[in-house]
Amino acid sequence: MGYGELIIRSYDPQYDRTRVEDFERKCEVGPAKRVFLFTDTLGDPICRIRNSPIYKMLVAELGNQLVGVIQGSIKLVTVHKPPNDLAKVGYILGLRVSSLYRRRGIGSSLVIKLEEWFIANDVDYAYMATEKDNKASVTLFVDRLSYVKFQTPTILVNPVSHRMSRISSNVELAKLKVEEAEAIYRKFMSSTEFFPIDIGNILRNKLSLGTWAAYPRGESWGGVPSSWAMLSVWNSGELFKLRLGNAPLSCLMYTKSSRLIEKLVPCVKLPCIPDFFRPFGFYFIYGVYREGPLSGKLVRTLCRFVHNMASKSKDCKVIVTEVGGSDTSRLHIPHWKSLSCPEDLWCIKALKNEKKNSLHELTKTPPTRALFVDPREV
């Protein structure tokens, strides 16, 4: 149609950085009928994959026009029956196609090209995540590219208030050393789906703010507490910022009025929505694990502790957690239902013939096992 041949190539930071930054700013994240988010990558378009072991970005051009981008990362994880079942997986994210050039096969061409890179790097499975009601994404990956439903995790979002949350005096909190946290994760979570073999690199990353454990006061962490819980915190706001691009007028009015009431009558505890219309960062809670009859309460206490950390941050407006759809820990993690996503959708595809049988087992077996969500892929 006069635009020339579609060219898909590797991202060149010297030539593409500014163009991709401008392109990303114009692309919304989320269904058009609801609120959507704009992403500010702070001058680094590959910030979301830079901390992964192996990564790549592809750009699509028609003539001199940038019309699409996609990103991918590769890592080694446990799948199905660890410790024997390890798999190299490729994660697909950041697929964007210009609104003027959609329905021309550009999105599928970008995915296929990225899959070729996965195959060249001996990847066993490719997978992606999207909202369950994102019909365009589901149609592309499931109907056209033969991906199948794998997991339906729950994304929990909790706004950060300047009010400090109360920490129970009956709970002891301890920050764990990286070596201790790594050993505990390998002991108790290495059997979860998609547990990253390089967990130590994640915990040692500068974006990981630490790992904390909670247990009943009066008991010893050095022994075996009757109940305990642990989690880690990742500062995603250091990588990129988000900004709300669209919202109902009622939401905007409530945001402003709740702040005004809180200033005039501070004793009125009206939930206050942070200002999402300006760029903001967020903390991501990962590696949530618990044991014992009181462990649910301990998870909630840890989340309150993280909230208090976030309330001291300059631009952290929300705390995000993602857990497996069958993980009962979600019942103890504070969140706002209106901001959360009860069913995210993960889809997976075998890239090797010998892995197709195991893929059948992965996708047909009810997802009762816990899921480890890598903070590097948020």
Side-chain angles (χ1 to χ4, degrees):
M1 298 293 292
Y3 293 103
E5 180 184 0
L6 178 68
I7 297 175
I8 297 177
R9 59 172 177 79
S10 296
Y11 166 79
D12 180 346
Q14 291 186 338
Y15 178 67
D16 295 320
R17 172 175 286 186
T18 301
R19 294 201 309 158
V20 172
E21 277 269 285
D22 292 339
F23 183 80
E24 290 276 2
R25 287 193 189 99
K26 297 175 183 177
C27 290
E28 69 275 9
V29 180
K33 293 182 180 179
R34 301 217 312 256
V35 299
F36 57 80
L37 296 172
F38 286 109
T39 303
D40 182 356
T41 57
L42 306 178
D44 183 10
I46 60 172
C47 63
R48 292 182 63 193
I49 55 175
R50 187 176 292 281
N51 290 285
S52 298
I54 307 174
Y55 57 86
K56 193 178 191 68
M57 173 183 263
L58 298 174
V59 299
E61 295 175 313
L62 278 174
N64 293 322
Q65 184 75 27
L66 178 66
V67 295
V69 297
I70 195 171
Q71 301 180 46
S73 61
I74 298 173
K75 62 181 179 181
L76 190 64
V77 302
T78 58
V79 172
H80 199 49
K81 292 182 180 180
N84 297 322
D85 285 41
L86 297 179
K88 186 179 282 190
V89 296
Y91 181 53
I92 299 172
L93 71 160
L95 175 60
R96 306 274 192 274
V97 176
S98 170
S99 59
L100 298 176
Y101 296 90
R102 290 172 185 169
R103 300 184 182 277
R104 301 188 185 189
I106 295 173
S108 57
S109 296
L110 280 165
V111 175
I112 291 170
K113 199 71 173 179
L114 189 62
E115 288 179 348
E116 292 175 358
W117 178 69
F118 286 158
I119 293 171
N121 283 274
D122 199 34
V123 168
D124 299 302
Y125 304 99
Y127 74 106
M128 52 75 69
T130 187
E131 287 189 329
K132 191 177 180 179
D133 58 356
N134 189 332
K135 293 182 179 180
S137 183
V138 173
T139 298
L140 172 62
F141 283 93
V142 176
D143 297 343
R144 298 179 186 172
L145 298 173
S146 302
Y147 283 71
V148 293
K149 176 181 173 181
F150 171 49
Q151 292 268 357
T152 53
T154 299
I155 300 176
L156 305 173
V157 180
N158 196 39
V160 175
S161 167
H162 70 270
R163 289 196 186 100
M164 302 294 280
S165 296
R166 178 180 173 275
I167 304 297
S168 173
S169 59
N170 295 322
V171 176
E172 193 76 47
L173 299 176
K175 184 174 184 179
L176 306 183
K177 294 182 179 180
V178 171
E179 295 77 14
E180 184 180 10
E182 180 180 357
I184 295 174
Y185 276 133
R186 291 193 184 280
K187 180 177 180 180
F188 292 99
M189 295 198 74
S190 61
S191 61
T192 60
E193 293 285 19
F194 278 46
F195 179 81
I197 299 305
D198 67 333
I199 181 65
N201 291 336
I202 298 174
L203 297 171
R204 290 176 176 84
N205 191 291
K206 65 179 182 179
L207 297 175
S208 192
L209 301 181
T211 302
W212 286 266
Y215 55 96
R217 187 175 295 277
E219 299 188 27
S220 171
W221 176 248
V224 181
S226 58
S227 296
W228 61 279
M230 67 183 294
L231 55 73
S232 299
V233 183
W234 184 270
N235 186 6
S236 297
E238 284 294 314
L239 288 179
F240 60 93
K241 308 295 182 186
L242 299 173
R243 175 175 60 83
L244 201 62
N246 185 29
L249 179 61
S250 58
C251 177
L252 178 60
M253 295 299 294
Y254 178 82
T255 302
K256 293 184 176 181
S257 63
S258 62
R259 283 205 200 87
L260 178 60
I261 293 174
E262 187 176 34
K263 288 181 180 179
L264 296 177
V265 192
C267 60
V268 176
K269 294 186 177 180
L270 182 67
C272 183
I273 300 178
D275 184 1
F276 294 139
F277 299 93
R278 297 181 182 180
F280 64 91
F282 65 98
Y283 285 174
F284 183 77
I285 293 177
Y286 69 99
V288 180
Y289 185 82
R290 65 191 183 97
E291 283 196 356
L294 299 177
S295 59
K297 175 184 176 182
L298 298 176
V299 167
R300 182 172 292 273
T301 299
L302 283 169
C303 290
R304 288 174 176 170
F305 171 77
V306 175
H307 173 273
N308 291 347
M309 284 176 50
S311 66
K312 300 175 183 177
S313 172
K314 181 175 64 174
D315 67 351
C316 181
K317 299 291 179 65
V318 293
I319 299 169
V320 182
T321 317
E322 187 168 9
V323 296
S326 61
D327 191 339
T328 56
S329 292
R330 71 185 188 281
L331 303 175
H332 308 286
I333 297 173
H335 64 280
W336 279 23
K337 186 177 180 180
S338 59
L339 298 177
S340 302
C341 176
E343 279 192 316
D344 199 24
L345 178 63
W346 286 24
C347 298
I348 191 169
K349 176 181 180 178
L351 298 181
K352 296 179 180 178
N353 290 330
E354 62 270 23
K355 294 295 182 181
K356 290 183 178 178
N357 288 335
S358 60
L359 177 62
H360 179 80
E361 294 179 14
L362 276 172
T363 56
K364 296 304 179 184
T365 303
T368 56
R369 300 169 69 240
L371 177 69
F372 193 99
V373 180
D374 192 328
R376 298 173 296 189
E377 298 175 352
V378 175

